[in-house]
Amino acid sequence: MKPSQLTLTALPGVPLVAAGDDLAGLVTDGLARAEIRLEAGDAIVLAQKIVSKSEGRTIALSSVTPSARAVELAGIVQKDPRLVELILSESKTVLRARPGVIVVEHRSGAVMANAGIDQSNIDQHETEHALLLPRDPDATAAALRDALRARTGADAVVLIIDSIGRAWRNGTVGQALGVSGMPALLDLRGQPDLFGRNLRTSELGLADELAAAASLVMGQAGEGTPIVHARGIPYARREGCAQELIRPHETDLFR
């Protein structure tokens, strides 16, 4: 039996991204520099930041007027009230608040800190900015997949990922925000284990596992490698989306 092998390559030479930039062009240029030919079943994994920047999701804090609620909450969490206002505008519900962090249910339904809003790896030279998450990561992933198929002829998987903390462990890991071309959640229930016993509860967060692996070669600071090519993903071909990974309220034990 041929051993399983997953190959991850951070594409070199990706320039700084600005609003309106062509993500498909950045991917194909990066593949060419890495001398990789895109094949069906490969995956292209993009950091959320470059997607958000291309969609114009960079907001100058000077343009934000904080509400009374934002000012009150800012006093609790010790954050800029303008930043807190952006967090509230991107959220359905505030779940927890303490100095340094606001845990919310994002408008996408995902639970995360600070609505995924970040200020790292953004040019703050002239005025202070914050970067919001993409408007619809699943839709963006699907559109980019179509664009890459049109340019390369290959039907590849596309993931948009970000780092996230977890309620039950320290540290952040890569997580899928947008998915197209593969199942985000793989149901293994009914599959036999090594001894023939059928699995009863096993569901694999396949897209999150790939996101975490790709995040290792992307890096988290100034590496400048926000696009990763992956080959050898063990998955069944079917359509999927990141919404599959969001736990329903009735089974969420942390709310």
Side-chain angles (χ1 to χ4, degrees), residues 133-197:
L133 294 184
R135 291 180 179 85
D136 187 341
D138 278 330
T140 298
L144 181 55
R145 178 183 168 205
D146 288 342
L148 290 174
R149 183 167 49 229
R151 296 188 189 201
T152 68
D155 186 15
V157 172
V158 172
L159 263 65
I160 298 168
I161 73 169
D162 196 9
S163 56
I164 190 169
R166 297 154 295 167
W168 53 92
R169 292 180 75 86
N170 289 326
T172 62
V173 295
Q175 171 180 281
L177 296 180
V179 177
S180 182
M182 67 179 281
L185 185 68
L186 199 59
D187 189 352
L188 301 178
R189 290 172 295 184
Q191 297 292 319
D193 67 10
L194 286 172
F195 300 96
R197 182 178 184 273

Side-chain angles (χ1 to χ4, degrees), residues 100-115:
V101 67
I102 305 173
V103 178
V104 303
E105 180 183 355
H106 188 264
R107 55 184 174 75
S108 67
V111 174
M112 59 182 65
N114 304 322

